[in-house]
Amino acid sequence: MSKDSILVINCGSSSLKFSVINPATEEESINGLAERMGSSEAVLRWKINGEKGSQALGQAAHDQAIEGLMGLLREEGLIDRIAAIGHRVVHGGEKFTQSALVTDEVIAAIEDCIPLAPLHNPAHLLGIKAAQKFFPGLPNAVVFDTAFHQTMAAETYLYAIPYELYEKHGVRRYGAHGTSYRYVGQAAADMLGLDINNSSIMVAHLGNGASACAIKNGKSIDTTMGLTPLEGLVMGTRSGDIDPNLFNFLNKSLGYSLERTTEMLNKESGLLGLSGMDSDCRVIEDAAQEGNKRAQLTLDVFCHVLAEKLAGFAAAMGSVDALVFTGGIGENSSIIRKNVIERLSIFGFKLHEQKNDETFRGKSGVITEEGSTVAMVVATNEELMIARDTQALTA
Ligand code: AMP
């Protein structure tokens, strides 16, 4: 059996997503996740050839979850096909401008970035160490969400706060969703017959977490997320941009602690906070269609913020070859796409209503009329990008 596939691991603090992908054929032979890790009800779930399976893991942490995954891959006859392991890592700070093979120095550098991603990076490190233990002999690579945005200019990534905070503590904008942007930007250029190195593409990655990116000549020149993934667009439960004085205001007027406001901005805001209903865009769209005014207002705030950011990107790029929608909302919500495109008519976008309505559930394609500036949908595939990078690094 040839070693033609990559095991892709996305390790969080209480869950671990995995898939086995052949980067050459793009075939995914298995995918799944270990969830509720750290509790006594940890469980491994997977899907192979359309069939679902699950196995209780007991009181499993990262080590036991990866051991369980190894057993599963052996049982399914996939273990000998795995050539290398690719890990998603949320934060690579300024140290990583691209994906890297795991070495002791790389592990130390990911540890150095823990203050920038205190929930994510420690979990990634546990996943990497468990993979090294249970898959000895297989090379490991790391693919960073932040790396793609390291091409941003200082004038874009700096905040106008005392410069020492950047120099001594790394306070700057880093962005996220970089792996998705790299995949979607290249896929959009390929579909449109554009040379990515001579193109201006803006991408809106709209999922539970949402951000947008300006890709000029294949490089990220601006993005909406900042030091953390709270900045920028309205998200499922995150506020996006606010006046930072809100912390002081809520403390003085309502006695909110730093932690309380942080929790409110991350978990109780965004679509959920504004609508008072749900963080799921579908629930709010349904309510808006039934005439609920606050639900409609919530969608309008979401689209207003996004359209303003995209207009800024268009100005910064100097031209627009395409606006690309991706992520759960971007790939499925014709309502959000229509709302945003109509706000951007100054840039020459003319929506093709039927194409827009017919593009969902993993379908990619152009959703504007002939002669319009192109808006399109591209289904993202971060796992495939991680598999490709890992293969390139370990070949
Ligand atoms: P993601 O984080 O990329 O998996 O996206 C998840 C989000 O996509 C969900 O919270 C939903 O709000 C949104 N979503 C999925 N399907 C639809 C749909 N048909 N219409 C609107 N939003 C959707």
Side-chain angles (χ1 to χ4, degrees), residues 200-204 213-215 310-311 313-314 317 320 322-324 344 349:
S200 302
I201 297 172
M202 29 193 205
V203 183
C213 180
I215 307 175
L310 294 173
F313 287 173
M317 292 197 298
V320 180
L323 162 60
V324 190
L344 294 170
F349 290 104

Side-chain angles (χ1 to χ4, degrees), residues 105-282:
E105 292 74 38
V106 165
I107 287 183
I110 297 170
E111 278 168 358
D112 288 346
C113 295
I114 287 176
L116 296 168
L119 298 178
H120 291 98
N121 275 21
H124 301 324
L125 286 164
L126 289 173
I128 293 166
K129 286 176 185 164
Q132 289 176 319
K133 181 169 155 192
F134 291 105
F135 295 88
L138 284 188
N140 287 267
V142 277
V143 179
F144 299 93
D145 273 13
T146 48
F148 184 59
H149 301 299
Q150 281 297 308
T151 46
M152 289 194 296
E155 65 182 41
T156 308
Y157 68 68
L158 283 176
Y159 294 115
I161 58 176
Y163 192 70
E164 307 83 75
L165 289 172
Y166 164 62
E167 272 187 312
K168 298 202 180 115
H169 303 285
V171 179
R172 52 159 283 180
R173 298 177 58 242
Y174 291 96
H177 290 140
T179 311
S180 174
Y181 290 129
R182 223 156 26 100
Y183 176 83
V184 167
Q186 185 64 57
D190 291 346
M191 284 178 209
L192 298 172
L194 294 171
D195 172 8
I196 184 99
N197 297 314
N198 185 21
S199 67
S200 302
I201 297 172
M202 29 193 205
V203 183
H205 179 117
L206 312 175
N208 210 12
S211 73
C213 180
I215 307 175
K216 179 89 181 166
N217 302 332
K219 295 189 165 68
S220 168
I221 64 158
D222 203 353
T223 191
T224 56
M225 281 180 173
L227 176 71
T228 75
L230 181 59
E231 188 177 336
L233 306 181
V234 176
M235 307 179 218
T237 61
R238 282 173 252 166
S239 62
D241 290 351
I242 47 135
D243 182 339
N245 244 337
L246 187 63
F247 278 89
N248 188 42
F249 178 86
L250 292 178
N251 177 259
K252 293 282 179 320
S253 56
L254 297 174
Y256 276 26
S257 65
L258 204 59
E259 290 72 24
R260 176 74 196 97
T261 303
T262 304
E263 170 106 350
M264 183 270 285
L265 293 173
N266 279 283
K267 302 212 171 126
E268 299 161 24
S269 297
L271 297 177
L272 172 67
L274 259 178
S275 70
M277 290 174 191
D278 208 292
S279 62
D280 192 314
C281 194
R282 285 165 289 201

Side-chain angles (χ1 to χ4, degrees), residues 331-386:
E331 291 170 34
N332 292 298
S333 173
S334 56
I335 294 174
I336 294 284
R337 295 191 302 245
K338 176 177 156 85
N339 192 326
V340 172
I341 286 171
E342 285 176 355
R343 288 167 194 271
L344 294 170
S345 59
I346 190 171
F347 298 102
F349 290 104
K350 287 192 201 72
L351 188 72
H352 191 298
E353 300 262 358
Q354 192 188 345
K355 284 185 185 165
N356 185 42
D357 290 344
E358 287 171 358
T359 307
F360 53 91
R361 271 198 227 119
K363 236 174 100 180
S364 297
V366 172
I367 55 168
T368 38
E369 287 184 7
E370 194 88 357
S372 159
T373 306
V374 172
M376 65 192 296
V377 175
V378 174
T380 194
N381 194 341
E382 287 162 285
E383 290 77 18
L384 176 59
M385 202 72 220
I386 294 172

